[in-house]
Amino acid sequence: RTPDRVPIDLGGFQTGIHARAYAELLAHLGRTEPLVILDPVQQLAKPSEFVLERIHADVRYVGAHGPDSFRGGIETNIRGGRVWNDLRDEFGVVWSMPDDQRLYMDITHHPLADATIADVERHPFPDGSDPSRFTGVREQALRMRDETSYAISTTIGGVVYEIGWYMRGLERWFMDMIENPSFCEAVLDRTLGFWMGFYTGFLRELGDIVDVIMIGDDLAGQSGPLFNPEFYRRVVKPRQ
């Protein structure tokens, strides 16, 4: 049905607000509240319910979390006379941000930078189907459905292509797409396997509740595709 107005969304990984901008928004509103980081890589803040209601946001998010076996979190290290915040994700990629900048994290370690296809097969990719990822998500989604009138969306997922260059390094990955596409396919198949397991478990828990399933991948820049559309159609699109 045609809605009464264009829906408003703020607070997701794709429709987020940077922590600095959010702090300025709170100051503008004369609001004092804790600043919670939703996404440390992009330094996105998690808007409070007060702010979401203030701007008439129509969407609320529910997401899975890391498995019980994963020990994530940010470590503080000193390099080159600066304090760095380092985050190792489940795929073995390390993201880093200088403490005196706090704008966003860049990748400082690509675990497959020097890998062969055989190394890709041996690399310990995370288990997307681990049931401990989904504990509590159904209860959370049910509360949203029963207690609010907002659309319920999953957080971002299904990042099949992008994780490949996270693990390989962007320059080397772009070379692989031309010189060694079989390597790219091997990595994409492993990331696809992760997401297939993830969504099988995630949607088993709340597929009958959510209104929106958010899938994402960076495929283009501000002026056009990042790589040859033929490669996308032949290699990436079937896996997406």
Side-chain angles (χ1 to χ4, degrees), residues 146-237:
D146 295 342
E147 299 174 8
T148 78
S149 59
Y150 304 115
I152 303 173
S153 174
T154 68
T155 52
I156 191 71
V159 185
V160 174
Y161 172 82
E162 208 172 333
I163 290 175
W165 74 257
Y166 292 173
M167 302 183 76
R168 184 64 157 171
L170 185 61
E171 182 176 344
R172 182 65 185 273
W173 179 262
F174 275 20
M175 294 168 64
D176 288 330
M177 286 196 291
I178 296 172
E179 300 176 345
N180 192 13
S182 295
F183 181 89
C184 297
E185 292 183 275
V187 175
L188 293 174
D189 283 340
R190 294 296 305 274
T191 58
L192 172 61
F194 168 82
W195 288 116
M196 292 290 286
F198 176 89
Y199 276 107
T200 298
F202 193 33
L203 296 180
R204 182 182 295 124
E205 292 293 324
L206 44 70
D208 59 325
I209 302 174
V210 295
D211 302 295
V212 180
I213 299 170
M214 185 178 287
I215 302 293
D217 239 341
D218 274 354
L219 303 172
Q222 298 293 73
S223 58
L226 290 172
F227 54 92
N228 193 322
E230 188 278 329
F231 183 89
Y232 172 76
R233 297 186 188 103
R234 177 171 54 86
V235 176
V236 181
K237 184 178 179 180

Side-chain angles (χ1 to χ4, degrees), residues 29 56 86 97 116 119-120 197 207 217 235:
L29 296 174
H56 309 293
D86 298 324
M97 174 181 65
T116 65
D119 295 329
V120 172
D217 239 341
V235 176

